[in-house]
RNA sequence: GGCGCCAUAGCCAAGUGGUAAGGCAAGGGUCUGCAAAACCCUUAUUCCCCGGUUCGAAUCUGGGUGGCGCCUCCA
């Protein structure tokens, strides 16, 4: 299985540290706001990686953090930090808010059929581990104290910037707006911040009350759950230059060797070919997608149709196309599910589909191609249980929920109310009598009730829209 | 200013040296009382432009043009 490693900018054969086990750390959500579909694309990517590894026979040790410690400054009431405002308005504590948004997030990912990682640790429950990490770095001489915190000294760490291939000289020339005079290098970053009194969340430390720096949680929690060195770290491309660069610096400084073997990054989701942002009002959520009548799985399908390393452009037209395609795909899967037992297929057909599928998946998660193979299997002229079985296998990676949805499609037809059955029967009589006017009226009426009628050679078929 | 990514049909998109997957939309057809749904067929002599390498390039190379992202605790 080949994966593209941001560190080497190349596809590399995946070789786990421990035979048969893949250890993964994924940067998770910050739970002070609703996660938008751009965030969700990242988690779909994370999920595909999970599933692809399992498909290849690996057992997983997968961690996704919940960042429930923000830098919430209680007097920041300007536009950006709306959650603090909400905290004030609702009289809720940061933890209550975090709990609420964590709940929404979990529901969202469940609807996207994203498997839950084995460990989902919360930052606030690992302050001790973070402090210990910082103290160790301080002991080793990689940190220094200023009036407002403990900073990592990047000049002490050889290789700072290797992930993003930063040109440190160039960065310095690019003069930052607010320079912290106490910092030895502009790119030095906080490991621990001393808290002003009004700061909502703070913990005791050797340096007084404070709160963790922005990058330490991932280093500390990955270490706790996966050990010093683990296989794969995932996140969004925006994390490459700062967050992950700093994580590398911290962990590698502490260990004296790389903590992560493969860095994988998911590209951004664009909206109408541009950046998604709250100020533009286009930071849609899964709830928005549902409100417009599309299923979360349609969004998943949309994500699957593009490589995770390419930007994906979201448009309402696009999600509509995805929904139609997904519905038809389910229809196709259902046709195979309904096929009689024992249908003969041409020799080698299944094997060919399966190999093409696996090759695509194992080529750095080329899911668009794999999806194409699935379509070819679905569209195959001969419908058979064997193909249905193969499709279920493929769905272990795709995660489009073939088995359940196909079942649902079948159930829907059979669970109509007697009232509706009655109308359908009246219409059938009208049709026999060639009373087209009445028949069409009933059809329109049922349509208004959300029931769609199809007159097939085998009789009338009613489905809920 | 620094760093990086991308450019394939109306749209989404695969393809990374051997002659353009798949999906949506569109057009035609089968079915139907008419529909709807479903199914079948058709749709890029060509891959932003100009050079180069090669028997052969969407794929490699040089230049140009266009688009986008990051450098703000945003996936």
């Amino acid at each position: 299985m080949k994966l593209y490693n941001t560190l080497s900018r190349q596809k590399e054969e995946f070789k786990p540290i421990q035979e048969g086990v893949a250890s993964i750390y994924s940067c998770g959500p910050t739970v002070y706001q609703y996660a938008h579909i751009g965030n969700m694309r990242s988690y779909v990517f994370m999920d595909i990686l999970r599933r692809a590894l399992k498909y290849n026979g690996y057992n997983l040790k997968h961690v996704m953090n919940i960042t429930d410690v923000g830098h919430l400054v209680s007097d920041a009431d300007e536009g950006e930090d709306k959650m603090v405002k909400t905290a004030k308005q609702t009289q809720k504590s940061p933890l209550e808010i975090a709990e609420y948004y964590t709940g929404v997030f979990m529901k969202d990912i469940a609807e996207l059929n994203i498997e839950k990682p084995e460990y989902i640790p919360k930052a606030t429950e690992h302050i001790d581990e973070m402090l210990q990490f910082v103290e160790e770095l301080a002991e080793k001489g990689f940190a220094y104290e200023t009036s407002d915190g403990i900073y990592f000294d990047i000049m002490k760490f050889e290789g700072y910037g290797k992930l993003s291939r930063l040109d440190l000289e160039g960065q310095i020339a690019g003069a930052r707006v607010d320079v912290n005079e106490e910092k030895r290098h502009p790119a030095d970053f906080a490991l621990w911040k001393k808290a002003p009194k009004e700061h909502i969340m703070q913990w005791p430390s050797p340096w007084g009350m404070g709160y963790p720096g922005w990058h330490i949680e991932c280093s500390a929690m990955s270490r706790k759950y996966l050990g010093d060195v683990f296989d794969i770290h995932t996140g969004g491309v925006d994390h490459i230059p700062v967050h992950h660069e700093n994580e590398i610096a911290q962990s590698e400084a502490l260990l004296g060797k790389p903590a992560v073997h493969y860095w994988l990054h998911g590209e951004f989701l664009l909206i109408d070919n541009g950046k998604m942002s709250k100020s533009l009002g286009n930071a849609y959520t899964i709830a928005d997608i549902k409100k417009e009548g599309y299923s979360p799985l349609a969004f998943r399908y949309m994500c699957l149709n593009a490589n995770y390393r390419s930007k994906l452009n979201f448009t309402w037209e696009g999600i509509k196309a995805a929904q139609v395609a997904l519905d038809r795909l389910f229809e196709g899967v259902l046709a195979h599910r309904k096929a009689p037992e024992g249908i003969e297929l041409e020799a080698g057909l299944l094997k060919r589909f399966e190999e093409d599928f696996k090759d695509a998946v194992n080529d750095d998660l080329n899911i668009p191609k794999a999806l194409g193979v699935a379509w070819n299997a679905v569209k195959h002229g001969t419908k058979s249980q064997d193909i249905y079985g193969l499709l279920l296998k493929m769905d272990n990676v795709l995660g489009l929920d073939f088995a359940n949805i196909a079942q649902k499609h079948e159930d829907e037809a059979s669970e109509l109310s007697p009232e509706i059955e009655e109308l359908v029967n009246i219409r059938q009589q009208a049709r026999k009598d060639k009373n087209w006017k009445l028949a069409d009226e009933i059809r329109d009426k049922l349509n208004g009730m959300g029931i769609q009628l199809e007159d097939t050679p085998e009789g009338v078929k009613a489905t809920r829209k």
Side-chain angles (χ1 to χ4, degrees):
Chain A
M1 186 177 190
K2 282 199 163 72
L3 297 172
Y4 182 89
N5 191 347
T6 305
L7 204 52
S8 65
R9 306 286 158 102
Q10 277 175 341
K11 288 182 191 173
E12 296 175 13
E13 188 61 37
F14 176 65
K15 293 197 189 85
I17 294 162
Q18 190 188 336
E19 181 76 31
V21 179
S23 48
I24 314 165
Y25 187 92
S26 296
C27 281
T30 304
V31 287
Y32 284 98
Q33 61 201 350
Y34 288 107
H36 52 66
I37 54 177
N39 298 313
M40 288 308 157
R41 185 188 180 199
S42 277
Y43 300 114
V44 169
F45 151 56
M46 169 190 94
D47 186 53
I48 290 293
L49 173 66
R50 265 188 72 87
R51 290 167 175 273
L53 286 164
K54 275 163 78 172
Y55 185 76
N56 278 277
Y58 291 104
N59 287 316
L60 300 183
K61 273 170 78 177
H62 183 191
V63 179
M64 177 181 73
N65 61 297
I66 298 285
T67 302
D68 55 355
V69 50
H71 78 145
L72 285 185
V73 177
S74 66
D75 60 0
D77 57 358
E78 67 241 4
E80 267 308 290
D81 213 336
K82 292 189 178 108
M83 287 325 303
V84 175
K85 231 168 153 181
T86 311
K88 279 184 180 169
Q89 283 167 354
T90 59
Q91 305 279 45
K92 293 253 167 71
S93 72
L95 277 177
E96 284 173 304
I97 292 168
E99 208 163 286
Y100 170 73
Y101 286 102
T102 302
V104 175
F105 177 78
M106 288 305 177
K107 190 167 155 273
D108 281 351
I109 64 169
E111 287 188 320
L112 287 167
N113 210 21
I114 291 170
E115 295 180 342
K116 270 187 168 178
E118 283 68 30
Y119 307 94
I120 307 181
K122 291 176 180 163
T124 51
E125 291 171 5
H126 297 78
I127 301 294
D128 287 347
E129 284 85 348
M130 297 185 215
L131 273 171
Q132 197 197 324
F133 207 103
V134 177
E135 285 177 60
E136 278 184 55
L137 278 174
E139 278 165 27
K140 295 200 171 189
F142 285 101
Y144 61 91
E145 184 172 1
T146 72
S147 60
D148 71 343
I150 309 302
Y151 285 82
F152 185 91
D153 191 342
I154 65 160
M155 296 316 271
K156 292 250 170 70
F157 174 69
E158 203 181 332
Y160 186 83
K162 66 179 176 181
L163 183 68
S164 47
R165 315 215 158 165
L166 276 182
D167 172 8
L168 278 180
E169 305 298 319
Q171 294 287 307
I172 300 164
R176 292 159 60 115
V177 184
D178 52 340
V179 179
N180 181 338
E181 295 294 342
E182 292 184 69
K183 276 161 69 168
R184 294 178 188 168
H185 188 282
D188 284 353
F189 55 93
L191 294 166
W192 184 262
K193 292 276 277 184
K194 296 176 184 175
K197 271 213 172 80
E198 68 274 17
H199 199 275
I200 292 178
M201 304 176 91
Q202 44 181 291
W203 292 265
S205 84
W207 307 278
M209 294 301 286
Y211 55 97
W214 320 325
H215 317 291
I216 200 72
E217 70 174 87
C218 293
S219 292
M221 297 200 291
S222 64
R223 190 187 188 198
K224 173 171 180 181
Y225 293 96
L226 301 175
D228 284 346
V229 184
F230 57 97
D231 297 310
I232 302 172
H233 195 308
T234 75
V237 284
D238 54 317
H239 280 158
I240 298 171
V242 179
H243 182 53
H244 289 164
E245 205 66 78
N246 293 348
E247 253 188 83
I248 287 174
Q250 291 166 352
S251 296
E252 214 164 311
L254 191 83
L255 299 173
K257 62 183 172 186
V260 179
H261 287 179
Y262 303 87
W263 286 90
L264 270 56
H265 293 96
E267 252 294 354
F268 271 122
L269 180 76
L270 304 180
I271 305 282
D272 296 325
N273 267 314
K275 186 181 173 162
M276 169 189 295
S277 79
K278 290 208 169 131
S279 53
L280 291 171
N282 63 9
Y284 306 122
T285 62
I286 291 300
D288 291 330
I289 287 193
K290 285 163 73 178
K291 208 165 62 198
E292 293 295 322
Y294 303 108
S295 68
L297 283 180
F299 177 70
R300 182 180 176 100
Y301 183 94
M302 199 178 181
C303 293
L304 264 43
N305 199 218
N307 189 282
Y308 77 93
R309 286 196 290 123
S310 303
K311 291 180 185 74
L312 170 60
N313 187 29
F314 177 91
T315 59
W316 287 107
E317 196 193 346
I319 188 78
K320 186 181 174 191
Q323 182 74 64
V324 172
L326 182 64
D327 289 344
R328 287 194 191 152
L329 190 62
F330 286 147
E331 289 285 346
V333 172
L334 194 55
H336 287 284
R337 178 190 166 99
K338 285 174 170 170
E341 298 279 351
I343 298 288
E344 287 280 317
L345 290 170
E346 50 190 286
L349 183 78
L350 286 176
K351 203 178 162 203
R352 203 173 68 235
F353 281 142
E354 192 161 9
E355 276 173 6
D356 287 351
F357 183 82
K358 191 165 188 176
D359 286 348
V361 168
N362 286 357
D363 180 18
D364 189 34
L365 311 177
N366 191 341
I367 304 302
K369 192 174 181 180
L371 196 55
V373 178
W375 267 104
N376 286 334
V378 164
K379 292 272 193 132
H380 190 260
T382 311
K383 307 302 172 194
S384 100
Q385 290 290 325
D386 289 342
I387 290 182
Y388 179 63
L390 175 66
L391 289 168
L392 289 185
K393 233 168 161 180
M394 290 175 171
D395 193 50
N396 287 146
V397 177
L398 303 176
L400 292 171
D401 212 11
F402 285 169
N404 287 330
I405 299 297
Q407 184 68 50
K408 215 173 127 208
H409 273 222
E410 273 184 343
D411 293 348
E412 267 172 4
S414 55
E415 53 179 38
L416 298 170
S417 67
E419 180 198 2
I420 288 165
E421 300 266 12
E422 178 72 22
L423 282 169
V424 171
N425 289 337
I426 293 171
R427 175 166 172 278
Q428 284 306 80
Q429 190 55 49
R431 290 183 69 213
K432 266 185 200 152
D433 302 341
K434 300 205 187 294
N435 185 350
W436 309 126
K437 190 163 173 271
L438 177 62
D440 289 353
E441 271 172 21
I442 294 173
R443 183 167 65 197
D444 290 344
K445 187 179 176 190
L446 285 170
N447 209 291
M449 293 163 70
I451 304 297
Q452 184 160 289
L453 292 185
E454 294 168 44
D455 298 326
T456 70
E458 296 89 48
V460 67
K461 209 172 115 192
T463 45
R464 210 172 284 281
K465 278 193 288 193

